[in-house]
């Protein structure tokens, strides 16, 4: 079989079959978005040609006027979308059209819920917009030729959106891609001038290349005239939205442009459009998405802004303009100060890029600050989706640490809730007059934090404590040492010092108690020597008999588990065991003469304190045996 005549019929992956079936029969509630997706892809193809033509102008093949063309035929029931962009080779067709959502099909399918509105928002996140064509079409034909290749190197791809597709070599005079949709009978009304024009105006007015359609009077001409001279007109404004004045842009235009660049089906929560002039000249249009993408936690995944230089597209994911902790920000940056022969290597070394990155980062944080202040409900939604990513900020961006800290939300003892709604500025505003520190506790879960024994003295004195339970929280607090000149204090770490919140009478009483129970603490230390660093009297408990406390410089349980999960061995460290002399169990323990019984009681109390801290018992069986033994003695 020669290359010229080579034809193949290939099957979609099993997951792809499921996905196509779901998309055709259930996912889209708004069928007209197929046109938005196909025009958006055509616009991307034009952008890619512009970029490659910077170094290879011959790719234009004597036609540098980029465009998208939409044709229709009522009689045959077809809609055709054509572009003269970069086009595709045979290998690219197989890769892009034969493998659906190759980066995340399984994740996509597992995310589906059966909720049509919710599921339809997932489509764009998985790069499957092209396949929305099958919602209105029973058969889709793609004819494409990559710019710079021979006329006979074109490729024809056809599929009915079921189990397989056919691919064969073909000829195509013009570079680029033509997609022919053979509409289903019940969708034939899409082959209508006015309906197509309205859809184009609605979804593609902002695209920077013209979207052409036959003039309205074309249908009134004779067949002979129509075939000999078809006149086309631009339907969209064909002006890059970010280059227009903010006062001239409507809200729905901003929203549609966001959907165009992000392939997201949900409205953005907020956006910021700024033109900077002076030493640097650039325009930035930044968006805060309403929904986290499926690959948010893949720090090596594609991210960043669309980069244009003097309105010439350069790259899709210019990660150099936004720090990693803001990887969810979408948008466009267009600069007049970056050389047109840019490459990723030059971008990494260019001081202009560093200045723009700093300024764009501040704009993004200002946008989030404004959202938090003016639209708290939207900010709560943002926090649910992206809060843990923003918590990476204090450790990565020293210059903006305070601003990032003011955006963080936490659960706290201020409300009887595990929701993260309290900000650091709010906490500071509620601090007691003599309070010098911001107190917090870290646990494995929100309920564990709320029920931590370390909170007892703080509840008694009415001191608010932040409740931290996200996996990243211990790492966050290792970089966040103070806020508004108030140092942070982990209440489960080191010696408890309430400063001016504790009067001299209380301090004197504590010292007397420590002396009174010195022999008991020594006795316990001798018994638990292998498991603890120190045994001491606590002043942080009011209801619990004992608790565990780690030293200031020791690694917490959260970080230890993270290291272990990564296959690393955390450094050895022992906790301090603190006992509450006011508790009846401790009072009885001090009078216990039977050493075996004393050992059982101490071991049970230590294990209980370990469990309260979320630690795993080294010997659960021994704990159960001792506990049962003590229970039986109570029953006798």
């Amino acid at each position: 079989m020669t290359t010229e005549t080579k034809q193949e019929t290939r099957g979609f992956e099993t997951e792809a079959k499921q996905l196509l079936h779901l998309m055709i029969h259930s996912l889209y509630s708004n069928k007209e978005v197929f046109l938005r997706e196909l025009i958006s892809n055509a616009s991307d193809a034009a952008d890619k040609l512009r970029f490659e033509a910077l170094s290879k102008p011959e790719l234009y093949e004597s036609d540098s006027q980029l465009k998208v063309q939409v044709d229709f035929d009522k009689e045959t029931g077809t809609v055709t979308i054509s572009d003269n962009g970069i086009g595709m080779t045979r290998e690219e067709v197989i890769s892009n059209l034969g493998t659906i959502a190759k980066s995340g099909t399984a994740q996509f399918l597992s995310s589906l819920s059966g909720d049509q509105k919710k599921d339809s928002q997932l489509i764009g996140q998985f790069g499957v917009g092209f396949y929305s064509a099958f919602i209105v079409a029973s058969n889709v034909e793609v004819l494409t030729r990559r710019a710079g290749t021979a006329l006979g190197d074109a490729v024809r791809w056809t599929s009915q959106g079921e189990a397989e597709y056919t691919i064969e070599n073909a000829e195509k005079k013009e570079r680029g891609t033509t997609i022919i949709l053979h509409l289903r009978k019940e969708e034939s009304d899409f082959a209508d001038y006015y309906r197509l024009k309205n859809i184009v105006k609605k979804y593609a007015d902002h695209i920077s290349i013209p979207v052409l359609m036959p003039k309205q009077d074309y249908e009134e001409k004779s067949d002979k005239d129509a075939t000999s001279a078809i006149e086309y007109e631009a339907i969209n404004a064909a002006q890059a939205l970010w280059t227009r004045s903010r006062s001239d842009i409507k809200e729905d235009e901003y929203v549609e442009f966001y959907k165009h660049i992000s392939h997201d089906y949900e409205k953005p929560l907020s956006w910021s459009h700024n033109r900077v002039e002076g030493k640097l000249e650039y325009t930035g249009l930044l968006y805060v998405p309403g929904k986290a993408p499926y690959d948010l936690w893949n720090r090596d995944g594609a991210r960043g802004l669309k980069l244009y230089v003097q309105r010439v597209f350069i790259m899709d994911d210019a990660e150099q303009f936004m720090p990693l902790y803001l990887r969810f920000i979408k948008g466009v940056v267009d600069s007049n100060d970056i050389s047109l022969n840019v490459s990723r290597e030059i971008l990494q070394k260019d001081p202009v890029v560093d200045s723009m990155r700093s300024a764009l980062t501040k704009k993004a944080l200002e946008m989030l600050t404004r959202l938090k202040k003016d639209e708290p409900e939207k900010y709560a939604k943002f926090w649910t989706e992206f809060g843990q990513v923003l918590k990476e900020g204090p450790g990565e961006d020293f210059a903006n640490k305070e601003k990032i800290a003011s955006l963080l939300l936490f659960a706290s003892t201020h409300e009887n809730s595990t929701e993260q709604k309290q900000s650091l500025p709010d906490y500071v505003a509620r601090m007691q007059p003599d309070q010098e520190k911001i107190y917090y506790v870290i646990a494995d879960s929100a309920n564990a934090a709320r029920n931590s024994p370390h909170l007892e003295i703080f509840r008694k004195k009415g001191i608010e404590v932040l409740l931290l339970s996200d996996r990243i929280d211990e790492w966050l607090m290792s970089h966040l040492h103070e806020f508004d000149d108030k140092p942070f204090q982990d209440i489960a770490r080191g010696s408890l010092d309430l400063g001016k919140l504790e009067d001299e009478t209380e301090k004197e009483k504590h010292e007397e108690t420590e002396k009174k129970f010195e022999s008991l603490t020594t006795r316990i230390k001798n018994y638990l020597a292998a498991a603890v660093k120190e045994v001491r009297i606590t002043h942080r408990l009011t209801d619990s008999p004992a608790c565990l406390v780690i030293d200031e410089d020791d690694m917490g349980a959260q970080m230890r588990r993270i290291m272990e999960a990564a296959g690393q061995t955390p450094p050895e460290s022992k906790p301090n065991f603190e006992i509450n002399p006011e508790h009846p169990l401790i009072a009885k323990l001090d009078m216990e003469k039977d050493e075996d019984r004393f050992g059982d009681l101490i071991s049970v109390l230590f294990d209980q304190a370990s469990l309260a801290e979320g630690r795993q018992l080294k010997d659960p069986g021994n704990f159960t045996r001792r506990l049962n033994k003590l229970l039986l003695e109570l029953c006798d």
Side-chain angles (χ1 to χ4, degrees):
M1 185 179 294
T2 65
T3 303
E4 288 74 16
T5 60
K6 186 177 181 183
Q7 184 183 75
E8 293 181 81
T9 298
R10 290 172 167 246
F12 287 116
E13 299 169 345
T14 303
E15 290 173 340
K17 295 177 191 176
Q18 293 176 266
L19 183 55
L20 278 170
H21 181 81
L22 284 164
M23 290 182 66
I24 294 168
H25 297 289
S26 64
L27 287 184
Y28 279 99
S29 56
N30 184 10
K31 295 180 179 181
E32 65 186 28
V33 296
F34 81 90
L35 193 58
R36 179 182 77 186
E37 289 303 309
L38 297 181
I39 292 177
S40 182
N41 289 345
S43 173
D44 288 345
D47 282 343
K48 290 172 183 175
L49 176 61
R50 278 198 191 108
F51 176 57
E52 291 197 21
L54 291 175
S55 56
K56 297 179 181 179
E58 64 273 14
L59 292 178
Y60 280 126
E61 299 178 0
S62 76
D63 180 11
S64 60
Q65 298 301 311
L66 298 172
K67 63 188 178 185
V68 180
Q69 191 168 295
V70 179
D71 291 283
F72 60 95
D73 190 322
K74 285 187 175 181
E75 292 185 6
T76 59
T78 60
V79 174
T80 302
I81 298 93
S82 307
D83 70 71
N84 59 349
I86 192 65
M88 291 181 284
T89 63
R90 187 185 186 96
E91 290 73 23
E92 288 170 332
V93 168
I94 293 171
S95 175
N96 295 332
L97 303 188
T99 307
I100 301 176
K102 57 188 176 182
S103 64
T105 307
Q107 295 98 314
F108 174 82
L109 290 169
S110 67
S111 300
L112 296 176
S113 66
D115 182 328
Q116 187 181 64
K117 181 179 179 182
K118 178 175 179 287
D119 291 341
S120 67
Q121 294 166 358
L122 293 169
I123 299 291
Q125 298 179 39
F126 286 81
V128 292
F130 167 79
Y131 300 93
S132 62
F134 287 106
I135 296 165
V136 297
S138 58
N139 184 55
V140 176
E141 179 181 349
V142 179
L143 180 63
T144 183
R145 179 175 69 81
R146 202 178 203 286
T149 61
L151 303 187
D153 287 340
V155 180
R156 179 177 283 105
W157 180 99
T158 57
S159 176
Q160 294 180 351
E162 295 176 351
E164 58 191 23
Y165 63 91
T166 300
I167 185 169
E168 61 183 321
N169 285 64
E171 286 197 7
K172 189 175 187 295
K173 183 179 179 181
E174 300 85 5
R175 67 169 188 270
T177 301
T178 298
I179 302 172
I180 303 172
L181 309 182
H182 298 269
L183 299 173
R184 303 175 190 277
K185 287 184 179 180
E186 62 271 24
E187 310 298 347
S188 59
D189 58 337
F190 278 105
D192 176 79
Y193 172 83
Y194 292 104
R195 185 163 192 191
L196 289 174
K197 179 181 178 181
N198 288 336
I199 296 172
V200 171
K201 288 290 291 181
K202 179 178 180 180
Y203 291 120
D205 207 41
H206 55 268
I207 289 177
S208 60
I209 60 174
V211 179
L212 307 178
M213 284 186 67
K215 279 192 174 181
Q216 184 179 357
D217 61 355
Y218 161 65
E219 295 182 83
E220 300 173 2
K221 296 179 180 180
S222 68
D223 290 343
K224 184 177 180 181
D225 290 339
T227 54
S228 60
I230 301 175
E231 294 184 46
Y232 286 89
E233 62 180 344
I235 301 301
N236 64 325
Q239 181 182 2
L241 180 134
W242 66 88
T243 64
R244 294 160 55 190
S245 170
R246 286 182 296 182
S247 59
D248 295 336
I249 306 174
K250 298 178 181 178
E251 180 176 324
D252 59 352
E253 290 182 284
Y254 276 120
V255 170
E256 287 307 323
F257 183 69
Y258 164 75
K259 292 179 179 180
H260 165 65
I261 63 172
S262 66
H263 297 286
D264 190 356
Y265 283 74
E266 189 168 309
K267 288 183 178 181
L269 293 176
S270 183
W271 57 84
S272 174
H273 185 189
N274 296 280
R275 181 175 289 115
V276 177
E277 296 177 345
K279 290 184 179 180
L280 284 177
E281 288 191 14
Y282 67 89
T283 300
L285 176 52
L286 308 179
Y287 289 92
V288 179
K291 189 76 175 175
Y294 76 98
D295 60 349
L296 178 66
W297 293 103
N298 180 8
R299 288 168 64 94
D300 297 323
R303 59 185 177 83
L305 308 178
K306 282 182 176 288
L307 172 63
Y308 290 77
V309 174
Q310 298 174 32
R311 302 182 191 179
V312 176
F313 173 75
I314 302 300
M315 66 179 70
D316 257 324
D317 303 303
E319 60 187 37
Q320 296 86 349
F321 294 94
M322 201 61 64
L324 197 57
Y325 70 91
L326 292 177
R327 58 184 175 274
F328 52 84
I329 295 289
K330 301 293 184 183
V332 168
V333 58
D334 188 345
S335 173
N336 293 332
D337 292 316
I338 300 176
S339 174
L340 272 177
N341 63 344
V342 295
S343 67
R344 291 187 183 274
E345 290 73 22
I346 292 174
L347 281 179
Q348 289 167 353
K349 299 173 183 177
D350 193 337
V352 171
V353 172
D354 293 337
S355 297
M356 289 173 61
R357 174 191 173 102
S358 176
L360 288 166
T361 298
K362 288 181 179 178
K363 285 295 180 186
L365 294 175
E366 287 171 6
M367 177 169 50
L368 292 175
T369 301
R370 188 170 61 251
L371 183 68
K372 178 173 174 287
K373 178 183 177 182
D374 299 338
E375 300 182 86
E377 289 185 4
K378 282 189 177 181
Y379 191 78
K381 183 178 180 182
F382 159 78
W383 185 259
T384 299
E385 297 292 330
F386 304 107
Q388 291 196 54
V389 179
L390 193 63
K391 284 182 177 181
E392 298 172 8
E396 297 178 358
D397 188 352
F398 180 81
N400 292 301
K401 183 182 291 189
E402 190 85 357
K403 188 173 291 186
I404 299 167
S406 69
L407 291 169
L408 302 181
L409 296 181
F410 304 92
S412 90
T413 56
H414 178 66
E415 289 186 346
N416 187 24
S417 169
T418 56
E419 290 185 53
Q420 297 180 6
K421 299 193 297 184
Q422 309 303 325
S423 69
L424 293 176
D426 291 340
Y427 180 101
V428 171
R430 290 192 296 262
M431 286 174 63
Q432 296 190 15
D434 292 329
Q435 186 176 338
E436 299 171 340
K437 298 179 180 180
I438 299 173
Y439 296 102
Y440 69 92
V441 65
I442 299 176
D444 279 345
S445 68
N447 284 329
R450 182 161 293 282
N451 296 312
S452 171
H454 296 282
L455 295 173
E456 292 174 9
I457 188 63
F458 291 89
R459 284 202 173 101
K460 181 180 179 181
K461 289 181 172 290
I463 304 170
E464 183 177 355
V465 179
L466 301 176
L467 309 175
L468 280 59
S469 57
D470 288 337
R471 190 177 181 184
I472 194 175
D473 281 338
E474 187 175 340
W475 181 88
L476 164 69
M477 300 313 295
S478 69
H479 295 280
L480 200 58
H481 304 299
E482 65 177 25
F483 177 78
D484 195 18
D485 296 326
K486 306 289 192 301
F488 287 94
Q489 176 64 57
D490 183 350
I491 65 172
R493 186 185 292 272
S495 299
L496 179 64
D497 181 10
L498 296 178
K500 296 179 182 178
L501 296 173
E502 191 172 40
D503 59 38
E504 290 300 321
T505 303
E506 288 178 309
K507 292 179 181 178
E508 291 175 5
K509 183 181 178 181
H510 294 161
E511 292 174 3
E512 291 174 4
T513 304
E514 287 174 6
K515 292 178 181 178
K516 179 180 176 182
F517 285 88
E518 188 174 352
S519 60
L520 177 60
T521 55
T522 302
R523 188 180 177 192
I524 296 173
K525 173 65 185 297
N526 292 335
Y527 191 85
L528 295 177
V532 301
K533 187 178 294 184
E534 293 291 341
V535 177
R536 58 198 184 204
I537 297 298
T538 188
H539 311 299
R540 67 183 88 216
L541 300 178
T542 59
D543 302 317
S544 301
C547 66
L548 299 184
V549 178
I550 60 175
D551 278 346
E552 288 287 353
D553 299 323
D554 284 349
M555 183 179 292
Q558 256 191 3
M559 287 299 296
R560 297 180 74 85
R561 275 188 285 275
I562 291 173
M563 287 189 67
E564 289 167 354
Q568 300 176 336
T569 303
E572 284 291 332
S573 65
K574 296 178 183 179
N576 296 304
F577 186 53
E578 295 193 357
I579 57 172
N580 176 12
E582 305 294 329
H583 197 279
L585 277 176
I586 301 301
K588 289 186 178 181
L589 191 63
D590 192 29
M591 297 182 290
E592 182 60 57
K593 304 301 181 184
D594 187 320
E595 287 300 319
D596 289 338
R597 183 177 169 80
F598 179 85
D600 287 340
L601 285 167
I602 283 299
S603 295
V604 168
L605 286 176
F606 178 80
D607 286 346
Q608 283 180 338
S610 297
L611 291 172
E613 293 296 315
R615 295 169 178 252
Q616 289 189 342
L617 300 183
K618 292 184 178 180
D619 192 347
N622 206 20
F623 168 71
T624 304
R625 181 185 62 78
R626 284 193 169 110
L627 186 59
N628 289 339
K629 180 182 175 183
L630 292 171
L631 289 172
L632 283 171
E633 290 177 1
L634 289 173
C635 294
D636 289 343

